[in-house]
Amino acid sequence: MTFLFTPLLIGLAGLSTPAPEPGPVFKPEMVPATAVRTAAFVPTGWLLEKQINGDLNGDNRPDPVLMLVERPSASAPEARRERALVVLLNEPSGQLRRVAASGTALYCTGCFNSDRTAAPDLTITKGTLSVRHLSGVAQTLDVTQRYRFEAGRVRLVGESVMQSSRLKLDTTYKRTDYLTGQQQTEHITADPADPNGAKQLVTRKDAKVPTAPRFLEDVNVASLNL
């Protein structure tokens, strides 16, 4: 069975790291449909936190993907700030065209009570955009979601979630292929019958999920069932 995803790690929600609150202020209409420069897609009150480039539609032109973050408040610079993700195509005319924009696909700054919460990581490999979230120390949560440009939109094609406790062997992996509908959950725990704690117990469960297309704008990482 083949899954379209990449494994990952972040701080456990529901334990010492509460889930982020919903309600980002970013709206797709805040950025233009087309522009010549990427700076035009950074709205007032926001900063470009990261930009990557890669061919998303197979035309051998580098397509920019922008991770935006709200500007810090002068009165409360440590306050949580929302993030947004903007996906652009590099057109033959030299224009950049927005094909996806979302304020719910990325965790905000300060969404977890952990000083080890990293900024989301973006990569483009063989036309697939991967977004990875990682947080936690003793308890970790690692989430990767994978997207592809399809029929004019950016579609979610795979997801991997790993929750783990480093204080005791207790790890859950969930891997989902949204193209085939295949989902596998694997739970690894220490064998209580082994006094040395070296032996592991592994349980696996296969399931089917809907294959109806979900796009970047449909994804809300704050509502992940973790």
Side-chain angles (χ1 to χ4, degrees):
M1 182 159 45
T2 301
F3 295 97
L4 296 173
F5 50 66
T6 305
L8 21 135
L9 294 175
I10 299 185
L12 271 179
L15 295 175
S16 64
T17 53
E21 301 173 9
V25 298
F26 179 85
K27 304 295 181 185
E29 55 267 26
M30 294 168 61
V31 297
T34 61
V36 176
R37 300 181 183 278
T38 56
F41 296 92
V42 182
T44 302
W46 292 74
L47 297 170
L48 177 61
E49 187 173 15
K50 183 176 183 179
Q51 175 179 334
I52 63 170
N53 299 283
D55 185 7
L56 294 173
N57 60 349
D59 64 359
N60 295 317
R61 280 187 292 270
D63 302 307
V65 176
L66 314 180
M67 182 165 71
L68 311 181
V69 65
E70 286 186 290
R71 287 184 178 273
S73 166
S75 59
E78 300 303 319
R80 60 172 280 169
R81 293 179 287 151
E82 302 296 341
R83 286 189 172 99
L85 190 63
V86 179
V87 182
L88 309 172
L89 286 189
N90 191 348
E91 302 279 79
S93 64
Q95 291 271 317
L96 299 173
R97 177 167 60 92
R98 168 171 54 87
V99 291
S102 172
T104 62
L106 299 176
Y107 283 124
C108 67
T109 69
C111 279
F112 294 96
N113 293 334
S114 170
D115 59 0
R116 297 293 181 86
T117 300
D121 184 51
L122 310 178
T123 58
I124 298 175
T125 305
K126 296 182 179 180
T128 298
L129 168 65
S130 295
V131 179
R132 182 184 182 190
H133 299 90
L134 175 63
S135 183
V137 183
Q139 298 174 107
T140 60
L141 173 63
D142 192 335
V143 177
T144 292
Q145 292 168 320
R146 298 181 66 186
Y147 301 89
R148 290 181 183 171
F149 181 70
E150 179 181 289
R153 300 190 67 183
V154 177
R155 180 180 178 180
L156 177 68
V157 297
E159 180 178 86
S160 297
V161 177
M162 183 171 75
Q163 294 175 283
S164 182
S165 171
R166 297 182 182 178
L167 300 178
K168 57 181 180 178
L169 182 61
D170 188 352
T171 301
T172 300
Y173 301 89
K174 181 180 288 186
R175 306 173 179 90
T176 307
D177 183 332
Y178 289 109
L179 297 179
T180 65
Q182 299 292 324
Q183 183 180 81
Q184 184 181 77
T185 302
E186 188 175 82
H187 189 208
I188 303 173
T189 56
D191 186 348
D194 181 6
N196 298 318
K199 191 174 181 180
Q200 301 176 4
L201 297 177
V202 180
T203 59
R204 294 182 179 87
K205 178 182 177 182
D206 292 329
K208 292 286 290 185
V209 299
T211 57
R214 294 176 61 201
F215 301 100
L216 180 71
E217 293 83 359
D218 302 320
V219 173
N220 187 342
V221 291
S223 64
L224 281 174
N225 185 18
L226 301 174

